[in-house]
């Protein structure tokens, strides 16, 4: 496991320590959990975009018309 050095405002670190204490965990665990969720969310977004790109590539529907805002909002 790698070590990471962060620079934080003293007040932020103190608040993180207090939050970790309330949650019966450590600041290290909080940061690890946050980074894990952040990376997972990014991965899922990219997978969704890749899926949309694949669907668009298989689609035969195209429009050469330049739609106006009013036309797009017509019901």
């Amino acid at each position: 496991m790698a070590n990471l050095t962060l620079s934080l405002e003293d007040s932020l670190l103190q608040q993180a320590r207090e939050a970790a204490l309330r949650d019966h965990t450590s600041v290290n665990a909080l940061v690890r959990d946050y980074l894990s969720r952040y990376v997972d969310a990014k991965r899922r977004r990219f997978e969704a975009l890749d899926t949309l790109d694949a669907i668009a590539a298989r689609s035969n529907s195209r429009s050469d018309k330049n739609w106006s805002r009013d036309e797009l909002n017509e019901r």
Side-chain angles (χ1 to χ4, degrees):
M1 189 174 292
N3 287 322
L4 173 67
T5 301
L6 298 173
S7 296
L8 305 171
E9 296 292 328
D10 291 338
S11 61
L12 176 59
L13 180 55
Q14 184 59 39
Q15 290 172 358
R17 286 178 174 152
E18 292 168 4
L21 186 62
R22 282 191 303 272
D23 291 342
H24 306 289
T25 190
S26 65
V27 172
N28 188 61
L30 291 176
V31 171
R32 187 172 39 243
D33 180 58
Y34 171 79
L35 289 175
S36 177
R37 286 184 287 118
Y38 176 82
V39 168
D40 185 55
K42 286 289 188 181
R43 179 192 51 79
R44 287 184 287 118
R45 282 187 201 110
F46 283 124
E47 286 175 357
L49 289 172
D50 289 344
T51 300
L52 286 173
D53 285 343
I55 291 169
R58 290 192 309 260
S59 175
N60 291 329
S61 75
R62 301 279 188 259
S63 176
D64 293 330
K65 181 176 179 174
N66 291 326
W67 297 89
S68 71
R69 178 179 285 214
D70 289 336
E71 289 173 318
L72 291 172
N73 288 316
E74 285 179 6
R75 298 204 189 265

